[in-house]
Amino acid sequence: MNPDRTQPDPGGTLPDPGGQGPSYTRRRLLTLAGAGAAAALGWSGTTAAAGGTPRPHAHHAYIGGFTIGEYGLPGLPGIGVATVDAAGRLRLRGWQRDIANPSYLTLSPGRDHLYAVSQLPHGATGAVHAYRIDGDRLHPLGRPRSSGGAAPVHLAVHPESRFLLTVNYDSGHIAVLPVAGDGGLGEAVQVIRHRGRGPDPVEQRGPHPHMIAFDPRGTRVLVPDKGDDHVHVYDFDTRAGRLTPVGATRLGSRVGPRHLVFHPRGHLAYVTNELGHTVSVLAYDAATGRLTPVSHASVAPPGINPRNAPSAVHVTADGRLLVTADRGLDTVESFRVSPSGRTLTLLESQPVTAKAPGTRWPRDVALDGSGRYVYTANQAGQSVSAFRLDPATGRLTPAADPLRVASPSCVLLR
């Protein structure tokens, strides 16, 4: 089983979103989705298009995922390297094949290095890989370093590029790794562990830190923990690379905070809640690191059972729109952000692959630098979808046929 549980829990069920029709086990939904996709995989020359000519726009996309297939799904060969043309179209160029399960990727602040977790199965200690980016190629830098725990699922590089931090979903560990002058990684200088748990007997049996993010000043670190319903805040010593707990804010019971993003002004944070099916708005006090819940918005339209879990979250550079995706509903959402930033209004909930039946499971969302293109990594749908985001209305327009990729879990734009 994928320790992240963004692969469905095999013992659970998903009711029909309107409360009508049969229920299916989550494992069965994924198995059905993977069976048809496996035979259709043909990466060479496939594209995902989005209309218009955004400027500035991404020139490359990197696709992470699972090389070791689960639930009958095929695995991808490694890290996919794709180009992005002026119309937002993805074209796959090749694979970096020296890594197992690169389920999450991130860039250095200078955008010249790429870092990837290796989320190994069966509770094995994970690893972090470093690469130098050279056009369409990735060059490994040194040997992989231990992630300090089991199932690393997220990475963040400090704005000064001196340290990389990672969180381990299965074991609850957070590790701080030094970054060398050439972008390579050293062994961890600190490993700490969360200890909490929550009321959900399956999803919250222990700590499950799911993301790690620096605040806008780079002096604090925020960690949403799905396992204990808290967002943890740490002071970060930028010279020694050490974390010191500041506090933790509980978002509710069985909420399961997963990912967060700061408002461009830095005074608010938006958190997707995997078990609560919501996005929470939190006021952030930069002086103290205190987080205060302000409001919550459902990821599902009125009358629709959300069924499962929102994934990643992004805000446009002007702070006017927020995007996320929901696994189970298999949709990508856009929200209007109020002028104060303190409330969200759901504008659109768009199927990630309108032309394809069955579970798609959009595990990750990426927002182009122009704020006009959105991409989803559809892990069970064996695809990456592209959408045009209208900056005035928040409308999401489906692109052409999705890019076919086995078991993608992350899309990184550069």
Side-chain angles (χ1 to χ4, degrees):
M1 176 181 291
N2 179 1
D4 181 13
R5 294 196 186 279
T6 50
Q7 290 278 11
D9 170 35
T13 60
L14 296 176
D16 185 78
Q20 302 173 354
S23 296
Y24 301 93
T25 66
R26 296 176 181 176
R27 171 175 288 193
R28 178 63 177 157
L29 279 171
L30 276 177
T31 301
L32 289 172
L41 289 177
W43 300 304
S44 177
T46 55
T47 60
T53 306
R55 286 185 173 84
H57 63 84
H59 295 283
H60 285 86
Y62 303 94
I63 301 168
F66 290 86
T67 59
I68 303 170
E70 298 175 335
Y71 296 95
L73 299 174
L76 51 67
I79 300 172
V81 181
T83 54
V84 186
D85 67 18
R89 184 179 295 108
L90 299 182
R91 186 174 295 276
L92 193 61
R93 308 297 294 181
W95 297 95
Q96 183 69 31
R97 298 173 181 266
D98 64 337
I99 183 171
N101 287 358
S103 66
Y104 192 81
L105 317 171
T106 197
L107 292 172
S108 63
R111 307 179 72 80
D112 52 352
H113 295 94
L114 181 145
Y115 300 95
V117 301
S118 180
Q119 185 182 335
L120 301 179
H122 311 305
T125 298
V128 182
H129 293 238
Y131 301 92
R132 178 174 58 85
I133 298 173
D134 179 16
D136 294 344
R137 299 182 63 83
L138 298 175
H139 299 278
L141 294 171
R143 62 183 178 85
R145 302 293 182 174
S146 170
S147 68
V153 292
H154 202 271
L155 299 164
V157 183
H158 187 266
E160 297 176 356
S161 297
R162 296 185 59 194
F163 295 98
L164 176 146
L165 281 66
T166 187
V167 291
N168 295 268
Y169 180 92
D170 254 16
S171 64
H173 289 92
I174 303 170
V176 182
L177 285 70
V179 180
D182 67 351
L185 299 172
E187 296 293 347
V189 296
Q190 184 185 28
V191 178
I192 60 177
R193 184 176 185 268
H194 286 184
R195 299 285 180 180
R197 60 182 302 169
D200 191 296
V202 175
E203 305 284 2
Q204 296 183 313
R205 288 177 291 184
H208 294 310
H210 216 310
M211 181 190 187
I212 191 157
F214 288 96
D215 77 351
R217 296 182 179 182
T219 57
R220 290 198 181 90
V221 169
L222 281 70
V223 182
D225 193 314
K226 173 184 162 183
D228 69 4
D229 289 323
H230 287 75
V231 177
H232 297 255
V233 181
Y234 295 87
D235 280 336
F236 184 69
D237 185 327
T238 59
R239 298 186 65 183
R242 298 197 65 82
L243 296 164
T244 302
V246 171
T249 298
R250 187 171 182 266
L251 300 191
S253 179
R254 296 178 188 251
V255 171
R258 178 185 175 90
H259 276 212
L260 68 80
V261 65
F262 277 95
H263 187 279
R265 297 203 301 269
H267 66 306
L268 298 164
Y270 303 96
V271 182
T272 53
N273 298 308
E274 183 171 333
L275 306 180
H277 323 300
T278 56
V279 182
S280 294
V281 183
L282 310 178
Y284 179 66
D285 187 332
T288 64
R290 182 179 180 182
L291 290 166
T292 304
V294 172
S295 65
H296 310 276
S298 174
V299 297
I304 299 295
N305 183 339
R307 297 197 297 172
N308 210 287
S311 52
V313 61
H314 297 278
V315 176
T316 54
D318 60 10
R320 297 178 65 237
L321 296 172
L322 177 146
V323 294
T324 186
D326 186 80
R327 297 152 300 152
L329 286 181
D330 295 322
T331 52
V332 58
E333 279 75 28
S334 63
F335 290 82
R336 174 74 65 198
V337 181
S338 67
S340 68
R342 296 170 69 89
T343 58
L344 301 172
T345 302
L346 180 63
L347 298 175
E348 186 164 12
S349 182
Q350 180 73 241
V352 294
T353 50
K355 298 179 181 180
T359 290
R360 306 294 98 189
W361 209 252
R363 175 165 166 163
D364 191 32
V365 181
L367 178 66
D368 179 82
S370 70
R372 294 176 181 267
Y373 293 95
V374 175
Y375 300 87
T376 62
N378 310 314
Q379 186 174 349
Q382 306 285 281
S383 63
V384 175
S385 296
F387 299 86
R388 174 71 181 265
L389 177 66
D390 188 312
T393 66
R395 183 182 181 188
L396 290 158
T397 305
D401 291 343
L403 176 70
R404 292 178 177 175
V405 179
S407 299
S409 63
C410 178
V411 181
L412 180 65
L413 300 173
R414 173 179 176 268

